[in-house]
Protein backbone atom coordinates (compact mmCIF):
# COMPACT_ATOMS: atom_id res chain seq x y z
CA UNK A 1 0.00 0.00 0.00
CA UNK A 2 1.23 3.48 -0.82
CA UNK A 3 1.09 5.80 2.17
CA UNK A 4 0.37 9.18 0.60
CA UNK A 5 2.76 11.56 2.32
CA UNK A 6 0.95 14.90 2.42
CA UNK A 7 3.75 16.57 4.37
CA UNK A 8 6.27 15.71 1.67
CA UNK A 9 3.91 16.67 -1.16
CA UNK A 10 3.16 19.99 0.54
CA UNK A 11 6.88 20.70 1.07
CA UNK A 12 7.50 19.99 -2.63
CA UNK A 13 4.65 22.28 -3.64
CA UNK A 14 5.92 25.06 -1.33
CA UNK A 15 9.41 24.73 -2.85
CA UNK A 16 7.91 25.14 -6.36
CA UNK A 17 5.85 28.10 -5.20
CA UNK A 18 8.89 29.74 -3.60
CA UNK A 19 10.70 29.61 -6.95
CA UNK A 20 7.64 30.98 -8.69
CA UNK A 21 7.39 33.90 -6.24
CA UNK A 22 11.07 34.72 -6.83
CA UNK A 23 10.46 34.72 -10.62
CA UNK A 24 7.36 36.91 -10.24
CA UNK A 25 9.33 39.30 -8.06
CA UNK A 26 12.05 39.74 -10.65
CA UNK A 27 9.47 40.12 -13.45
CA UNK A 28 7.01 42.49 -11.75
CA UNK A 29 9.15 43.97 -8.99
CA UNK A 30 6.49 42.98 -6.43
CA UNK A 31 5.29 39.83 -4.70
CA UNK A 32 1.78 38.39 -4.20
CA UNK A 33 0.18 39.43 -0.91
CA UNK A 34 -2.17 37.44 1.32
CA UNK A 35 -4.32 39.15 3.94
CA UNK A 36 -6.13 37.06 6.52
CA UNK A 37 -8.90 38.46 8.71
CA UNK A 38 -9.18 36.67 12.05
CA UNK A 39 -12.17 37.39 14.27
CA UNK A 40 -12.33 36.27 17.89
CA UNK A 41 -10.04 34.07 19.94
CA UNK A 42 -11.01 30.50 18.99
CA UNK A 43 -7.83 28.48 19.49
CA UNK A 44 -8.06 26.27 16.37
CA UNK A 45 -8.61 29.35 14.17
CA UNK A 46 -5.62 31.07 15.76
CA UNK A 47 -3.45 28.01 15.11
CA UNK A 48 -4.63 27.75 11.47
CA UNK A 49 -3.96 31.44 10.86
CA UNK A 50 -0.51 31.26 12.46
CA UNK A 51 0.38 28.30 10.22
CA UNK A 52 -0.94 30.11 7.16
CA UNK A 53 1.15 33.19 7.96
CA UNK A 54 4.29 31.10 8.59
CA UNK A 55 3.89 29.20 5.30
CA UNK A 56 3.18 32.40 3.36
CA UNK A 57 6.37 33.99 4.70
CA UNK A 58 8.33 30.83 3.94
CA UNK A 59 7.53 31.01 0.19
CA UNK A 60 8.18 34.76 0.08
CA UNK A 61 4.64 36.11 -0.05
CA UNK A 62 3.77 39.38 1.62
CA UNK A 63 1.43 38.35 4.41
CA UNK A 64 -0.69 40.26 6.87
CA UNK A 65 -3.16 39.20 9.58
CA UNK A 66 -5.87 41.63 10.67
CA UNK A 67 -7.36 40.72 14.04
CA UNK A 68 -10.71 41.77 15.47
CA UNK A 69 -12.34 40.89 18.78
CA UNK A 70 -15.45 38.65 18.84
CA UNK A 71 -17.58 41.75 19.38
CA UNK A 72 -16.57 43.46 16.11
CA UNK A 73 -19.48 44.81 14.09
CA UNK A 74 -20.28 43.21 10.76
CA UNK A 75 -20.09 46.64 9.14
CA UNK A 76 -16.47 47.10 10.25
CA UNK A 77 -15.47 43.79 8.69
CA UNK A 78 -17.31 44.56 5.43
CA UNK A 79 -15.66 47.98 5.22
CA UNK A 80 -12.22 46.45 5.78
CA UNK A 81 -12.91 43.93 2.99
CA UNK A 82 -13.85 46.79 0.63
CA UNK A 83 -10.60 48.52 1.52
CA UNK A 84 -8.60 45.35 0.82
CA UNK A 85 -10.49 44.79 -2.45
CA UNK A 86 -9.11 48.05 -3.78
CA UNK A 87 -5.61 47.64 -2.32
CA UNK A 88 -3.29 46.66 -5.18
CA UNK A 89 -0.73 45.09 -2.83
CA UNK A 90 -3.33 42.54 -1.68
CA UNK A 91 -3.70 39.60 -4.10
CA UNK A 92 -5.71 37.32 -1.83
CA UNK A 93 -8.17 37.87 1.03
CA UNK A 94 -9.21 35.13 3.43
CA UNK A 95 -11.66 35.53 6.29
CA UNK A 96 -11.02 32.71 8.73
CA UNK A 97 -14.19 30.73 9.49
CA UNK A 98 -16.17 30.14 11.66
CA UNK A 99 -17.44 33.65 12.36
CA UNK A 100 -19.26 34.89 15.47
CA UNK A 101 -23.05 34.37 15.21
CA UNK A 102 -23.90 38.06 14.69
CA UNK A 103 -21.85 38.19 11.47
CA UNK A 104 -23.50 36.92 8.30
CA UNK A 105 -21.01 34.47 6.77
CA UNK A 106 -22.49 34.64 3.27
CA UNK A 107 -22.45 38.45 3.28
CA UNK A 108 -18.77 38.38 4.20
CA UNK A 109 -17.93 35.79 1.53
CA UNK A 110 -19.79 37.77 -1.13
CA UNK A 111 -18.09 41.04 -0.11
CA UNK A 112 -14.69 39.66 -1.16
CA UNK A 113 -13.73 40.54 -4.74
CA UNK A 114 -13.99 37.16 -6.57
CA UNK A 115 -10.58 37.78 -8.13
CA UNK A 116 -9.07 37.91 -4.59
CA UNK A 117 -11.15 35.07 -3.13
CA UNK A 118 -8.36 32.62 -2.26
CA UNK A 119 -10.78 30.27 -0.48
CA UNK A 120 -12.89 29.85 -3.63
CA UNK A 121 -16.12 30.31 -1.65
CA UNK A 122 -17.56 33.29 -3.57
CA UNK A 123 -20.61 32.22 -5.65
CA UNK A 124 -18.84 33.49 -8.77
CA UNK A 125 -15.94 31.08 -8.18
CA UNK A 126 -18.31 28.25 -7.21
CA UNK A 127 -20.19 28.82 -10.49
CA UNK A 128 -17.02 29.06 -12.56
CA UNK A 129 -15.68 25.84 -11.09
CA UNK A 130 -18.92 23.97 -11.80
CA UNK A 131 -19.00 25.35 -15.36
CA UNK A 132 -15.41 24.24 -15.94
CA UNK A 133 -14.05 27.80 -16.20
CA UNK A 134 -10.96 29.21 -14.52
CA UNK A 135 -11.61 29.97 -10.83
CA UNK A 136 -10.16 29.88 -7.36
CA UNK A 137 -10.67 26.34 -6.06
CA UNK A 138 -11.29 25.65 -2.36
CA UNK A 139 -7.95 24.71 -0.81
CA UNK A 140 -8.77 21.34 0.78
CA UNK A 141 -10.35 19.69 -2.28
CA UNK A 142 -7.60 21.18 -4.44
CA UNK A 143 -5.05 19.53 -2.13
CA UNK A 144 -6.91 16.19 -2.35
CA UNK A 145 -7.00 16.47 -6.13
CA UNK A 146 -3.24 17.09 -6.37
CA UNK A 147 -2.56 14.08 -4.12
CA UNK A 148 -4.82 11.82 -6.21
CA UNK A 149 -3.13 12.98 -9.43
CA UNK A 150 0.28 12.08 -8.00
CA UNK A 151 -0.87 8.47 -7.58
CA UNK A 152 -2.97 8.25 -10.75
CA UNK A 153 -2.29 10.89 -13.41
CA UNK A 154 -5.05 9.64 -15.73
CA UNK A 155 -8.39 9.57 -13.92
CA UNK A 156 -10.55 9.33 -17.04
CA UNK A 157 -13.35 6.78 -16.65
CA UNK A 158 -12.55 6.02 -13.00
CA UNK A 159 -15.42 5.62 -10.57
CA UNK A 160 -15.15 8.10 -7.71
CA UNK A 161 -17.26 8.28 -4.58
CA UNK A 162 -17.21 11.49 -2.55
CA UNK A 163 -18.54 11.02 0.97
CA UNK A 164 -20.00 14.32 2.26
CA UNK A 165 -21.58 17.15 0.29
CA UNK A 166 -20.35 20.27 2.06
CA UNK A 167 -19.68 23.47 0.10
CA UNK A 168 -16.20 23.42 1.61
CA UNK A 169 -15.19 19.90 0.58
CA UNK A 170 -17.62 17.44 -1.00
CA UNK A 171 -19.18 19.62 -3.70
CA UNK A 172 -15.98 21.21 -5.08
CA UNK A 173 -14.25 17.82 -4.88
CA UNK A 174 -17.00 16.40 -7.07
CA UNK A 175 -16.47 19.15 -9.65
CA UNK A 176 -12.71 18.53 -9.78
CA UNK A 177 -13.19 14.80 -10.32
CA UNK A 178 -15.85 15.43 -12.98
CA UNK A 179 -13.44 17.72 -14.79
CA UNK A 180 -11.02 14.77 -14.90
CA UNK A 181 -13.73 12.65 -16.54
CA UNK A 182 -14.40 10.47 -13.51
CA UNK A 183 -17.87 9.03 -13.01
CA UNK A 184 -18.70 10.62 -9.68
CA UNK A 185 -21.20 9.63 -7.01
CA UNK A 186 -21.70 12.14 -4.23
CA UNK A 187 -22.98 10.59 -1.02
CA UNK A 188 -24.24 12.15 2.21
CA UNK A 189 -26.08 11.54 5.46
CA UNK A 190 -29.25 10.40 3.66
CA UNK A 191 -27.48 7.94 1.33
CA UNK A 192 -29.17 4.54 1.77
CA UNK A 193 -26.22 2.15 1.50
CA UNK A 194 -22.91 3.95 1.81
CA UNK A 195 -20.91 0.72 1.98
CA UNK A 196 -22.35 -0.49 -1.35
CA UNK A 197 -21.54 2.86 -2.98
CA UNK A 198 -17.97 2.83 -1.67
CA UNK A 199 -17.42 -0.76 -2.84
CA UNK A 200 -17.89 0.45 -6.44
CA UNK A 201 -15.23 3.14 -6.16
CA UNK A 202 -11.75 3.34 -7.67
CA UNK A 203 -11.33 6.58 -5.73
CA UNK A 204 -12.93 7.50 -2.40
CA UNK A 205 -12.71 10.94 -0.83
CA UNK A 206 -14.17 10.99 2.69
CA UNK A 207 -15.09 14.44 4.10
CA UNK A 208 -17.67 13.75 6.78
CA UNK A 209 -16.48 14.47 10.28
CA UNK A 210 -17.35 11.02 11.72
CA UNK A 211 -14.35 9.17 13.20
CA UNK A 212 -13.37 6.04 11.21
CA UNK A 213 -16.70 5.83 9.36
CA UNK A 214 -15.22 4.20 6.25
CA UNK A 215 -14.28 0.61 7.07
CA UNK A 216 -11.92 -1.94 5.52
CA UNK A 217 -14.70 -4.06 3.97
CA UNK A 218 -16.11 -0.97 2.15
CA UNK A 219 -13.07 -0.76 -0.07
CA UNK A 220 -12.60 -2.31 -3.48
CA UNK A 221 -9.12 -3.79 -3.82
CA UNK A 222 -6.64 -1.20 -5.09
CA UNK A 223 -8.84 1.84 -4.53
CA UNK A 224 -7.23 5.21 -3.80
CA UNK A 225 -8.60 6.55 -0.51
CA UNK A 226 -8.29 10.19 0.59
CA UNK A 227 -9.22 10.98 4.17
CA UNK A 228 -10.19 14.64 4.76
CA UNK A 229 -11.58 14.12 8.28
CA UNK A 230 -9.97 15.62 11.34
CA UNK A 231 -11.74 14.27 14.43
CA UNK A 232 -10.66 14.68 18.03
CA UNK A 233 -11.23 11.45 19.99
CA UNK A 234 -10.05 10.01 23.29
CA UNK A 235 -7.37 8.22 21.26
CA UNK A 236 -6.15 11.44 19.64
CA UNK A 237 -6.86 12.83 16.18
CA UNK A 238 -8.34 10.36 13.70
CA UNK A 239 -9.78 10.68 10.21
CA UNK A 240 -13.08 9.63 8.66
CA UNK A 241 -11.41 6.42 7.46
CA UNK A 242 -10.47 3.42 9.61
CA UNK A 243 -6.77 3.57 8.78
CA UNK A 244 -5.64 0.08 9.90
CA UNK A 245 -8.50 -1.75 8.17
CA UNK A 246 -8.52 0.30 4.96
CA UNK A 247 -4.74 0.17 4.54
CA UNK A 248 -5.09 -3.63 4.03
CA UNK A 249 -7.23 -3.22 0.88
CA UNK A 250 -6.42 0.18 -0.57
CA UNK A 251 -3.80 0.84 -3.22
CA UNK A 252 -3.02 4.22 -1.62
CA UNK A 253 -4.25 6.02 1.49
CA UNK A 254 -3.64 9.37 3.20
CA UNK A 255 -2.81 9.29 6.92
CA UNK A 256 -4.39 11.63 9.47
CA UNK A 257 -2.54 13.73 10.45
CA UNK A 258 0.05 14.25 7.72
CA UNK A 259 -2.17 13.70 4.69
CA UNK A 260 -4.62 16.25 3.37
CA UNK A 261 -4.03 18.85 6.13
CA UNK A 262 -0.57 20.08 5.03
CA UNK A 263 -1.74 20.28 1.41
CA UNK A 264 -4.61 22.59 2.36
CA UNK A 265 -2.25 25.37 3.47
CA UNK A 266 0.12 24.87 0.53
CA UNK A 267 -2.88 25.21 -1.81
CA UNK A 268 -3.87 28.49 -0.14
CA UNK A 269 -0.44 29.84 -1.11
CA UNK A 270 -0.91 28.48 -4.63
CA UNK A 271 -4.30 30.21 -4.88
CA UNK A 272 -2.78 33.51 -3.72
CA UNK A 273 -0.07 33.29 -6.37
CA UNK A 274 -2.63 32.33 -9.04
CA UNK A 275 -4.80 35.36 -8.09
CA UNK A 276 -1.73 37.58 -8.40
CA UNK A 277 -0.83 36.13 -11.81
CA UNK A 278 -4.37 36.65 -13.14
CA UNK A 279 -4.29 40.27 -11.89
CA UNK A 280 -1.09 40.98 -13.88
CA UNK A 281 -2.51 39.93 -17.26
P1 LIG B 1 -19.66 19.30 7.16
O1 LIG B 1 -20.13 18.98 8.52
O2 LIG B 1 -19.89 20.64 6.57
O3 LIG B 1 -20.26 18.24 6.14
C1 LIG B 1 -20.28 16.87 6.44
C2 LIG B 1 -20.95 16.12 5.33
O4 LIG B 1 -20.98 14.75 5.69
C3 LIG B 1 -22.40 16.54 5.08
O5 LIG B 1 -22.58 16.75 3.70
C4 LIG B 1 -23.23 15.34 5.53
O6 LIG B 1 -24.35 15.10 4.69
C5 LIG B 1 -22.25 14.19 5.39
N1 LIG B 1 -22.53 13.13 6.34
C6 LIG B 1 -22.85 13.23 7.66
N2 LIG B 1 -23.08 11.99 8.17
C7 LIG B 1 -22.90 11.13 7.17
C8 LIG B 1 -22.99 9.72 7.07
N3 LIG B 1 -23.31 8.97 8.12
N4 LIG B 1 -22.76 9.15 5.88
C9 LIG B 1 -22.42 9.90 4.80
N5 LIG B 1 -22.30 11.24 4.83
C10 LIG B 1 -22.55 11.83 6.00
O7 LIG B 1 -18.09 18.92 7.16
P2 LIG B 1 -16.84 19.49 6.34
O8 LIG B 1 -16.64 20.92 6.66
O9 LIG B 1 -16.90 19.06 4.91
O10 LIG B 1 -15.68 18.68 7.07
C11 LIG B 1 -15.62 17.27 7.05
C12 LIG B 1 -14.42 16.79 7.82
O11 LIG B 1 -13.23 17.30 7.19
C13 LIG B 1 -14.35 17.28 9.27
O12 LIG B 1 -13.78 16.25 10.05
C14 LIG B 1 -13.41 18.46 9.21
O13 LIG B 1 -12.75 18.69 10.42
C15 LIG B 1 -12.45 18.00 8.15
N6 LIG B 1 -11.74 19.06 7.43
C16 LIG B 1 -10.43 18.85 7.18
C17 LIG B 1 -9.70 19.79 6.47
C18 LIG B 1 -8.27 19.53 6.18
O14 LIG B 1 -7.54 20.45 5.84
N7 LIG B 1 -7.82 18.29 6.26
C19 LIG B 1 -10.32 20.97 6.02
C20 LIG B 1 -11.66 21.14 6.26
C21 LIG B 1 -12.37 20.17 6.97
Amino acid sequence: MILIDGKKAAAELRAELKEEVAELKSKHNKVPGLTVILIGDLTPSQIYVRNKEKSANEVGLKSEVIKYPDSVEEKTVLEKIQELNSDETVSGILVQLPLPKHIDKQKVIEAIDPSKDVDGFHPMNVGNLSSGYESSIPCTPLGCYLLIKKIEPNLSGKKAVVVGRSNLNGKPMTQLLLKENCTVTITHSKTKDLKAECLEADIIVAAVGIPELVRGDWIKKDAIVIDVGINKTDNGIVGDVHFDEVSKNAKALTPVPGGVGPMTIACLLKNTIDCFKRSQI
Side-chain angles (χ1 to χ4, degrees), residues 201-231:
D202 301 308
I203 299 157
I204 296 176
V205 180
V208 190
I210 300 180
E212 301 177 327
L213 174 74
V214 177
R215 307 301 298 241
D217 60 354
W218 294 23
I219 306 297
K220 190 163 96 173
K221 197 151 175 43
D222 288 339
I224 298 171
V225 183
I226 305 292
D227 189 352
V228 180
I230 302 176
N231 307 296

Side-chain angles (χ1 to χ4, degrees), residues 48 139-141 144 162-171 186-191 194 206-211 213 218 227-232 238-240 256 259-265:
Y48 291 143
C139 305
T140 303
C144 296
V162 177
V163 190
R165 58 174 160 184
S166 69
N167 291 339
L168 182 69
N169 290 310
K171 285 182 194 154
I186 181 156
T187 62
H188 45 78
S189 57
K190 301 288 188 286
T191 296
L194 189 57
V208 190
I210 300 180
L213 174 74
W218 294 23
D227 189 352
V228 180
I230 302 176
N231 307 296
K232 261 193 192 163
V238 300
D240 292 341
V256 176
V260 174
M263 282 301 279
T264 297
I265 296 190

